[in-house]
Amino acid sequence: MSEVETVRQAFVQLWGSMGPFWGISPTTARVYSWLLSRAEPADADEIVQGLEMSRGAVSMACKELREWHLIFPEKAPGSRRVTYRPATDLEKVIRNIVEIRKRREWDPVLESLREWIPLLEADPSPEAEVFRERLESLESLVALTDSMVNVFLKGGLLGRFGLKMLVKAARDEPRHETPDEELVLQLEESP
Amino acid sequence: MSEVETVRQAFVQLWGSMGPFWGISPTTARVYSWLLSRAEPADADEIVQGLEMSRGAVSMACKELREWHLIFPEKAPGSRRVTYRPATDLEKVIRNIVEIRKRREWDPVLESLREWIPLLEADPSPEAEVFRERLESLESLVALTDSMVNVFLKGGLLGRFGLKMLVKAARDEPRHETPDEELVLQLEESP
DNA sequence: CAGAAATTTCAATACTTTTTGAAATTACAA
DNA sequence: TTGTAATTTCAAAAAGTATTGAAATTTCTG
């Protein structure tokens, strides 16, 4: 077997097993990584052959990948065949996944925590007090993480400016000690 | 039902469903969040009662939680009963989870990518070249993320200094333009 | 050390998720 | 519009995970 084929197999296997980490099924992740490993876009039949999976599974996987904007369908004119080209701007891909998952999974968590805390404040038992304190520290932590993710999503950290944006935001900061909350806010609101 | 009980149920339910996100089974996550919601440590029987699950499941969940250092067993002297106290320093808890998962799941990815790239360099086909280029950009991306996670793990971002550490690292930077790689290195190596 | 309380283990079972493949639908060249 | 290639859907089957509970083991009091 050629080197490419050997590496392709290992790569597809590895990213397939990491799919669940990204909230993507192993099969879907395998289809994407297989497409990434090919120089040219491929149609569904080629994927069926290359990965030895059923027509239906490929269709499902491609549907999901289209929704995540991880692949783009292309129609060759004069034919009904659709080929798929994988997104290769991996930074954008990751930012996309993070954004969607944050909205779907984390935003509701923050909402819930903020609803629950006042409910517990209304309960005078010591049990409720301890619980409320813990929810409060959880809330701060999630909120801080949320801010950092927002910075990342607005094109920071890994974005157009790489780490430089963060460096600049920090440099522009006045020298006096700044409470974390303010800083986070400022980072979120910088251009 | 009391407010505490209402919120407890919702909380346990929510964190149970988020368990998989953290690489923890829903049951295990439910046990931890249930313990977090109680002012006092609880023994296995109380957990069985509170969460309506089997003795065995509770034992498994507690074992896993002990391994993650998310709960600490305590022995009341003069009795063989073990009670579990949940870790409440949630920052430490999260850093712990991130560290273990990074080591287990991401470090091998970086290793694999670095093994594969030279193999593809040896293959002269254009197919191999495109594939290698993509693996290379993937490698840079994973490496950069890895550096940022390392900063976080060394007590940065959410650590003792909050965001201030990062701000300081950035301020101490000379004014000339710095390539990202250098900056990352410097961040990783600061005290 | 004996006995019993407590915990852990693990094979069997229940449940959930993924995958298949054939039928239904869609898209389009002729 | 028609015929057909291509895709999608979805009920059923397979695979994979989680849960149970009774037996085995551990732990430690008396």
Side-chain angles (χ1 to χ4, degrees), chain B residues 69-82:
Chain B
H69 299 108
L70 287 174
I71 62 176
F72 309 103
E74 294 181 357
K75 273 198 168 65
S79 150
R80 329 176 172 165
R81 199 179 71 130
V82 171

Side-chain angles (χ1 to χ4, degrees), chain A residues 14-137:
Chain A
L14 180 72
W15 283 90
S17 70
M18 310 236 331
F21 178 89
W22 297 102
I24 283 172
S25 82
T27 305
T28 305
R30 279 168 63 222
V31 170
Y32 177 67
S33 54
W34 188 83
L35 283 170
L36 251 199
S37 78
R38 312 251 317 172
E40 295 303 321
D43 69 14
D45 277 327
E46 291 172 295
I47 300 171
V48 166
Q49 296 242 307
L51 289 173
E52 301 182 34
M53 46 197 281
S54 75
R55 205 64 192 53
V58 169
S59 177
M60 300 288 230
C62 289
K63 184 187 177 184
E64 200 184 342
L65 288 170
R66 278 195 316 264
E67 286 166 5
W68 288 96
H69 300 107
L70 287 175
I71 62 176
F72 310 103
E74 294 181 357
K75 274 199 167 65
S79 150
R80 323 170 181 173
R81 199 178 71 127
V82 171
T83 60
Y84 289 106
R85 185 183 293 279
T88 52
D89 181 348
L90 297 168
E91 263 183 57
K92 220 160 88 188
V93 164
I94 289 176
R95 202 176 290 117
N96 206 252
I97 294 179
V98 170
E99 173 157 20
I100 294 174
R101 297 199 70 188
K102 170 176 136 49
R103 205 169 41 234
R104 279 203 211 148
E105 297 166 32
W106 286 98
D107 290 357
V109 168
L110 209 47
E111 259 185 68
S112 296
L113 288 172
R114 286 171 179 168
E115 272 171 32
W116 292 336
I117 289 168
L119 291 181
L120 291 176
E121 270 163 359
D123 185 324
S125 69
E127 179 89 352
E129 198 189 323
V130 173
F131 189 13
R132 180 182 49 73
E133 277 163 11
R134 289 176 181 172
L135 289 189
E136 273 164 4
S137 64

Side-chain angles (χ1 to χ4, degrees), chain B residues 3 41 56 58 74 101 126 128 141 148 151 183:
Chain B
E3 295 292 4
V58 169
E74 294 181 357
R101 296 199 72 190
L141 201 59
M148 298 193 332
V151 171
L183 178 54

Side-chain angles (χ1 to χ4, degrees), chain B residues 9-98:
Chain B
Q9 292 220 351
F11 178 62
V12 164
Q13 152 79 20
L14 180 71
W15 282 91
S17 70
M18 310 239 327
F21 179 89
W22 296 104
I24 282 171
S25 84
T27 306
T28 305
R30 280 167 64 223
V31 169
Y32 177 67
S33 54
W34 187 83
L35 283 171
L36 250 200
S37 78
R38 313 251 315 174
E40 295 302 321
D43 68 15
D45 278 328
E46 290 172 296
I47 301 172
V48 166
Q49 296 244 306
L51 288 172
E52 302 181 33
M53 47 197 280
S54 75
R55 207 65 191 52
V58 169
S59 176
M60 299 289 230
C62 289
K63 184 186 175 183
E64 200 183 343
L65 289 169
R66 279 196 315 264
E67 286 166 5
W68 287 97
H69 299 108
L70 287 174
I71 62 176
F72 309 103
E74 294 181 357
K75 273 198 168 65
S79 150
R80 329 176 172 165
R81 199 179 71 130
V82 171
T83 60
Y84 290 105
R85 183 183 296 278
T88 52
D89 180 348
L90 297 168
E91 262 182 58
K92 221 160 86 187
V93 163
I94 288 176
R95 203 176 291 118
N96 205 250
I97 294 179
V98 171

Side-chain angles (χ1 to χ4, degrees), chain B residues 121-190:
Chain B
E121 271 164 358
D123 186 322
S125 69
E127 179 88 352
E129 196 188 326
V130 173
F131 189 12
R132 180 181 50 73
E133 276 163 13
R134 290 177 182 171
L135 288 190
E136 272 166 4
S137 66
L138 200 51
E139 194 270 342
S140 323
L141 201 59
V142 175
L144 179 56
T145 310
D146 188 67
S147 298
M148 298 193 332
V149 171
N150 286 338
V151 171
F152 168 75
L153 288 177
K154 290 213 177 131
L157 264 47
L158 293 175
R160 191 141 64 82
F161 307 103
L163 271 170
K164 280 176 202 150
M165 190 211 128
L166 196 59
V167 172
K168 187 176 170 312
R171 259 191 209 132
D172 294 346
E173 196 61 9
R175 291 272 158 179
H176 69 76
E177 289 293 311
T178 309
D180 288 353
E181 291 77 18
E182 268 183 51
L183 178 54
V184 170
L185 216 73
Q186 183 168 344
L187 284 170
E188 279 199 57
E189 281 163 5
S190 51

